[in-house]
Amino acid sequence: MKPHTSARARAVAAAPVKLIWIATLSALLVFAQAVNVFAQGAPESFAPLAQRISPSVVNITTATTVARQTGPEGIVPEGSPFEEFFREFRGPQGEDEQMRRSSALGSGFVISEDGYVVTNNHVIETADEITVEFFSGRELPAEVIGTDRDTDIALLKVEADEALPFVNFGDSDEMRVGDWVMAMGNPLGQGFSVSAGIVSASGRALSGSYDDYIQTDAAINRGNSGGPLFNMDGDVIGVNTAILSPTGGSIGIGFAMSSNVVTRVVDQLQEFGETRRGWLGVSIQNVTDDVAEAMGLESTSGALVTDVPEGPASEAGIESGDVIVSFDGVEVEDTRGLVRQVGNTSVGKTVRVMVNRDGQTETFRVTLGRREQADMAAAQDMPGEDAPEEPAQSEVLGLTLSPLSSELREELSLGEDVKGLAVLSVDESAEAYEKGLREGDVISEAGQSEVQTIADLETSIEEAREAGRTSLLLLVRRDGNPRFVALGLAEGDSGQ
């Protein structure tokens, strides 16, 4: 008789088999999830997405009135035998029309059922008439609600009898390098067109203070300007604005203004018809390694204040030479970040600004003004009368310097409010030349102290040496724009 096998023994024997099956099923589950993620990231076709969102994308045609050449005047003298030949180009006989129509093409997209349309400012900037064409072929006239040159965004409005299809903005900060994106628009005037690619980079800055571009290799060409860049959910994460190309056509380097910048601009244009950005009232520059050493700073983070005109910061007590390290509770890494954060803060809001001053941290409460009003006031400011100064000249730190005389003020177009030493020439072998100082610059501070005479500068040099510093921080102004420059102090540097 065979020995009896208990149920417990059979269970023990089957345990390894169950473990193998569990491990196999787990591996299959992980593999299936990976396949699903890959399928989501790289769709088999973009057709369903394109079909769903295309009714909200529009072509934009503009018409502009420009001057027409009216005939031979200015080209050939009156009575010349060639006069009749050139007159043929004036138009119909006897016509004195001096204007003609010029058209341009761009793209855009509808963001609300009541007909608000977003595009680029440069698409419609000079237009007298704007026509919006929908995917169905329907055309509607559009009016400009507001524009913003700083971000190249414009908001239009069309009137329709029924609700219009529209798209929503997505969160551009969630986009990762490598994520799929799709662009739609009117490239080269060929009509509605779709291109796909990936996010190549983010946080790109081209030339503006508020730039935050998404770079993509999705084909973008002339006529795509103002069109949307979509994520795979069909949300707009950028407005196609510019390309980098030696030929004028797409080479896979396109830029779309990020949706998180665009939405703030559009909200203000929709509410006010204009932008209303916060204004701190300071001129700033990045803290370089040599500037940090000259000021005794531990790092280069923050924004160095180079000038404090009359305004919110001045009223709060912030001074030239302060390093802004925190704004409204957010650490300041560099000038670009500070400019964007200030601009995105509401006008009239009171914020805490933390600065590093002479190695100590101080906090100021600043009520922000409005950037646009400050820019307008600055453009209207006129320089005051010249004040007489006795001329003098000396060579210091590779620079030939002179106090500002009436003649120098007139030559350099400087007002009485500008104080300092004029740079008459720069030794091209000196560090000052390498750091960018040039004839016509004005040094208004040295070692964070005002300088109006050569003696003032020599005093600052001696004080820096006594403090054990190997460089001297200069506040240099050129065409009214201030910046700090740190120059090394070699033994024997002094006036002559």
Side-chain angles (χ1 to χ4, degrees):
M1 180 180 294
K2 293 182 179 180
H4 177 70
T5 302
S6 67
R8 181 177 182 182
R10 289 196 301 272
V12 170
V17 177
K18 289 183 178 180
L19 291 175
I20 292 173
W21 273 107
I22 291 174
T24 302
L25 289 174
S26 298
L28 289 173
L29 180 60
V30 171
F31 177 76
Q33 289 175 339
V35 170
N36 184 48
V37 169
F38 178 77
Q40 290 178 347
E44 181 179 345
S45 172
F46 289 91
L49 178 61
Q51 185 176 10
R52 174 162 60 91
I53 60 183
S54 58
S56 303
V57 182
V58 299
N59 293 340
I60 294 178
T61 305
T62 65
T64 306
T65 303
V66 296
R68 178 195 293 273
Q69 174 62 46
T70 59
E73 292 82 3
I75 300 178
V76 296
E78 186 176 356
S80 167
F82 295 101
E83 184 175 6
E84 289 300 322
F85 173 78
F86 280 100
R87 183 169 285 114
E88 293 180 8
F89 294 96
R90 295 182 61 177
Q93 187 174 3
E95 180 184 353
D96 288 325
E97 181 187 7
Q98 298 185 12
M99 310 301 289
R100 65 180 174 86
R101 307 297 288 174
S102 174
S103 298
L105 299 172
S107 305
F109 54 98
V110 183
I111 61 169
S112 66
E113 63 179 13
D114 57 346
Y116 282 100
V117 177
V118 172
T119 185
N120 277 148
N121 176 59
H122 76 258
V123 171
I124 55 89
E125 189 170 19
T126 61
D128 299 319
E129 298 176 4
I130 304 172
T131 301
V132 170
E133 179 190 3
F134 291 82
F135 187 76
S136 63
R138 181 185 185 186
E139 295 184 352
L140 291 173
E143 65 170 325
V144 178
I145 300 300
T147 63
D148 178 38
R149 289 188 177 185
D150 288 334
T151 57
D152 198 12
I153 295 298
L155 182 65
L156 312 179
K157 182 73 163 58
V158 297
E159 299 295 338
D161 296 332
E162 72 285 345
L164 296 174
F166 64 94
V167 289
N168 297 311
F169 284 106
D171 186 353
S172 54
D173 288 343
E174 292 184 354
M175 299 303 294
R176 304 165 301 171
V177 173
D179 280 345
W180 284 97
V181 289
M182 187 175 73
M184 290 192 70
N186 181 23
L188 304 174
Q190 296 302 303
F192 289 90
S193 180
V194 175
S195 59
I198 62 170
V199 174
S200 303
S202 60
R204 293 294 201 204
L206 299 182
S207 60
S209 300
Y210 306 101
D211 286 0
D212 184 15
Y213 284 103
I214 294 173
Q215 181 183 328
T216 178
D217 64 353
I220 296 174
N221 286 286
R222 297 174 185 172
N224 275 115
S225 291
L229 187 69
F230 291 103
N231 62 17
M232 292 299 96
D233 293 326
D235 296 327
V236 178
I237 50 88
V239 178
N240 300 322
T241 301
I243 61 174
L244 181 61
S245 170
T247 63
S250 174
I251 60 170
I253 305 178
F255 301 94
M257 182 63 73
S258 65
S259 61
N260 287 355
V261 171
V262 176
T263 51
R264 285 188 288 265
V265 171
V266 167
D267 288 345
Q268 291 188 349
L269 295 180
Q270 191 168 354
E271 182 176 359
F272 308 114
E274 59 187 1
T275 55
R276 298 186 178 183
R277 293 187 172 93
W279 179 58
L280 182 58
V282 294
S283 297
I284 54 177
Q285 72 175 58
N286 286 326
V287 180
T288 60
D289 290 332
D290 51 358
V291 168
E293 195 280 332
M295 296 182 67
L297 302 175
E298 295 181 357
S299 71
T300 58
S301 61
L304 175 59
V305 177
T306 60
D307 193 22
V308 189
E310 183 178 351
S314 175
E315 295 172 1
I318 295 177
E319 300 175 354
S320 174
D322 289 344
V323 178
I324 300 176
V325 296
S326 174
F327 177 87
D328 200 19
V330 179
E331 290 187 4
V332 175
E333 293 296 328
D334 53 26
T335 58
R336 180 175 173 234
L338 178 60
V339 169
R340 287 183 54 198
Q341 189 180 358
V342 172
N344 291 334
T345 305
S346 301
V347 176
K349 180 179 181 181
T350 299
V351 298
R352 294 181 181 273
V353 180
M354 183 181 298
V355 307
N356 184 313
R357 178 182 294 176
D358 298 327
Q360 302 295 321
T361 299
E362 298 188 32
T363 301
F364 301 89
R365 292 175 60 86
V366 184
T367 301
L368 299 184
R370 184 182 170 195
R371 173 67 180 268
E372 293 81 1
Q373 291 178 340
D375 289 344
M376 185 179 300
Q380 295 173 348
D381 282 346
M382 299 296 292
E385 295 295 327
D386 291 340
E389 294 284 351
E390 290 299 322
Q393 186 172 315
S394 185
E395 295 182 5
V396 184
L397 301 175
L399 302 167
T400 302
L401 304 171
S402 172
L404 288 173
S405 62
S406 298
E407 291 77 11
L408 280 173
R409 290 183 184 279
E410 182 177 357
E411 180 182 342
L412 300 176
S413 301
L414 300 175
E416 184 182 1
D417 58 320
V418 179
K419 309 292 185 183
L421 300 172
V423 178
L424 303 182
S425 64
V426 186
D427 183 350
E428 295 188 8
S429 65
E431 180 188 8
Y433 189 88
E434 181 182 343
K435 292 291 183 65
L437 273 77
R438 296 293 185 268
E439 178 183 346
D441 289 345
V442 175
I443 299 174
S444 57
E445 290 185 12
Q448 298 180 260
S449 298
E450 287 188 1
V451 292
Q452 298 189 43
T453 66
I454 302 298
D456 292 338
L457 177 59
E458 291 176 339
T459 299
S460 295
I461 292 174
E462 291 305 318
E463 289 177 350
R465 283 207 186 98
E466 291 174 1
R469 304 201 186 284
T470 59
S471 57
L472 178 67
L473 193 67
L474 304 178
L475 179 59
V476 181
R477 298 179 185 274
R478 179 182 298 170
D479 298 328
N481 299 314
R483 68 185 181 103
F484 280 104
V485 177
L487 295 183
L489 295 177
E491 288 298 324
D493 281 332
S494 63
Q496 296 180 11

